[in-house]
Amino acid sequence: MQHRIVVLGAGYTGAVAAGRLAKRLHREDVAITLVNPEPDFVERVRLHQLATGQDLRPRPFDEIFAGTGVELKLAKVTAVDVDRKAVTVTGVAGADGADGAARTEELAYDTLVYALGSGWHDGGVPGAADHAHELASRPGALRLRDRLAALDAGRPVVVVGGGLTGVEAATEIAEARPDLDVALAVHGALGDWLSEKGRAHLRKVVDGLGITVHEHAAVDAVAADGVTTADGRTVPAEITVWTTGFAVHPIAQATALELGAGGRIVVDATMRSVSHPDVYAVGDAALAVGPEDKPLRMSCASGVPMAWQAADAIAARLAGVKVPHVSIRYFQQCVSLGRKQGLIQFVTADDRAVDRALTGRTAALYKELICKGAAWGVANPTAGMPSRRRRVVTRQEPQGRTRTGAVA
């Protein structure tokens, strides 16, 4: 009997994990099902580009996983029962080419890879959910694109949040639409997470693009015509873009999995749930510890190595061999500042900025290569890996039951 592996979510981490598992294990030994509501891959790190009207290259999953043995199921995950080892999904209407009616079904698994990721988080700020736009999903980016395209020259736009997403969104919008009055509201000082060189370059680019920066301006209310900061300032806005943080998919909160801060699944060094050894979690959904015992941040830079680790650990355990483990560390933070400028902030293993930083056009090209590399890794899930696949071993339980791929 085939060992059933179900992967939930086909973002960077889920897609990479599914492809790597297909490369590591013999096809006749495992059945790999990848569940995702959309038929093609979303380059989340480029959604600010999509929002400003740029076209992104389509990457259909049926082409990506052709010939790999990975079965794509177009459906939304509605429940996970980790005690019964079953996932409830609702098929996307029309995905099967039939009458367009959505169908609910249950998928049984032997091993589950949870990669449902995260979405935008309004932080409970009044009016944010009603009046702000998000950039954490393709539908959100497309809605923002339509609004920006319809906006007349001279109208105000405010981006709330001074992290990577906020800085990239503000600079992309200002470069694409120099006729708009773009502002950036940040909780602390602009670029306070960067080195001195990084902060100076960010300030130079922001000033050159004509972006008004409101520092130490925590937003505590959003209205249709702007935002209000905690110190009473009012920032007018025809469009508000909210980028202050992300929240993990809520499905895990309804399970018996052990969760940590923010509802993330607590995992060990091999990305296996500490409470349910048949479940692995990767990407934004997982709470994994990195260098200096600090939680890995929610990012593609963390998620892809987590997917590699999980897939290799699953394959090794099913084959009954030593489980490999490579520590996940950071090297840099890559920031696009429009299409012409960039910033590569080099960091310590535990993600603290060091003095070195790459800036300007060279940094923009560097960031572009990083983005293309990440997308290439998804689009070519079995490339560049040893061709030897491992066989799944079968062990006999004391009670006489046969167990496939017994966990070491």
Side-chain angles (χ1 to χ4, degrees):
M1 180 178 178
Q2 288 181 309
H3 186 91
R4 299 162 299 181
I5 302 175
V6 174
V7 182
L8 305 182
Y12 288 98
T13 57
V16 167
R20 198 172 179 95
L21 284 165
K23 183 69 173 181
R24 292 295 193 207
L25 297 166
H26 277 267
R27 193 174 304 174
E28 58 268 32
D29 292 342
V30 295
I32 303 173
T33 302
L34 179 61
V35 181
N36 198 65
E38 297 189 69
D40 57 343
F41 174 65
V42 177
E43 286 190 80
R44 184 166 173 175
V45 297
R46 292 190 188 273
L47 289 180
H48 56 286
Q49 295 177 241
L50 182 63
T52 56
Q54 299 171 52
D55 293 325
L56 302 185
R57 176 184 173 184
R59 301 179 186 275
F61 284 123
D62 57 358
E63 295 180 10
I64 289 174
F65 290 106
T68 65
V70 175
E71 177 191 358
L72 176 66
K73 182 171 288 292
L74 293 179
K76 294 181 179 180
V77 179
T78 56
V80 175
D81 190 329
V82 291
D83 294 322
R84 293 180 50 245
K85 298 173 68 172
V87 178
T88 303
V89 302
T90 300
V92 177
D96 59 359
D99 58 4
R103 185 167 65 93
T104 297
E105 61 180 307
E106 190 173 84
L107 305 177
Y109 66 82
D110 298 303
T111 298
L112 180 70
V113 180
Y114 188 106
L116 291 180
S118 65
W120 81 301
H121 182 42
D122 62 20
V125 173
D130 297 324
H131 302 296
H133 286 265
E134 53 96 358
L135 269 176
S137 69
R138 179 159 53 188
L142 291 174
R143 287 191 293 269
L144 177 56
R145 182 180 68 176
D146 291 343
R147 283 293 311 280
L148 287 170
L151 203 60
D152 292 333
R155 304 307 298 165
V157 174
V158 62
V159 177
V160 181
L164 289 172
T165 305
V167 166
E168 291 190 330
T171 52
E172 199 77 44
I173 293 170
E175 182 184 89
R177 291 291 306 273
D179 59 323
L180 297 178
D181 182 9
V182 180
L184 178 62
V186 301
H187 188 276
L190 178 65
D192 55 10
W193 38 279
L194 297 168
S195 65
E196 183 178 349
K197 181 179 180 180
R199 290 193 301 272
H201 183 68
L202 174 59
R203 175 66 70 175
K204 178 181 177 181
V205 173
V206 164
D207 289 345
L209 290 171
I211 299 171
T212 301
V213 180
H214 299 274
E215 296 182 291
H216 307 288
V219 172
D220 63 4
V222 181
D225 59 353
V227 303
T228 303
T229 66
D231 59 3
R233 281 178 278 177
T234 298
V235 182
E238 193 91 1
I239 296 175
T240 297
V241 184
W242 195 265
T243 70
T244 62
F246 303 108
V248 298
H249 197 289
I251 289 291
Q253 295 179 359
T255 70
L257 291 166
E258 182 175 333
L259 306 180
R264 299 165 76 185
I265 300 169
V266 182
V267 296
D268 64 15
T270 66
M271 304 303 127
R272 184 169 61 173
S273 164
V274 297
S275 61
H276 291 74
D278 298 305
V279 177
Y280 291 73
V282 293
D284 291 357
L287 182 59
V289 175
E292 303 298 326
D293 292 328
K294 292 172 59 176
L296 297 175
R297 62 179 160 92
M298 299 165 87
S299 67
C300 181
S302 306
V304 171
M306 292 166 77
W308 295 338
Q309 177 63 72
D312 291 352
I314 291 169
R317 288 185 170 115
L318 292 180
V321 299
K322 183 179 179 180
V323 177
H325 173 243
V326 177
S327 297
I328 298 175
R329 59 150 295 162
Y330 296 102
F331 296 94
Q332 69 238 333
Q333 293 182 13
C334 302
V335 192
S336 64
L337 303 173
R339 295 301 87 206
K340 300 175 183 178
Q341 290 282 339
L343 170 62
I344 308 300
Q345 176 62 67
F346 296 102
V347 299
T348 60
D350 62 335
D351 210 28
R352 291 176 290 110
V354 298
D355 291 337
R356 290 189 306 119
L358 186 65
T359 62
R361 181 62 179 167
T362 302
L365 294 172
Y366 189 116
K367 169 66 185 290
E368 182 63 19
L369 288 174
I370 292 293
C371 291
K372 286 183 176 179
W376 186 90
V378 171
N380 300 272
T382 60
M385 294 172 57
S387 59
R388 183 171 65 89
R389 290 181 169 88
R390 297 191 182 279
R391 300 306 304 257
V392 173
V393 299
T394 302
R395 298 179 183 177
Q396 197 73 19
E397 295 291 323
Q399 295 85 355
R401 294 175 297 161
T402 299
R403 183 181 181 187
T404 303
V407 175

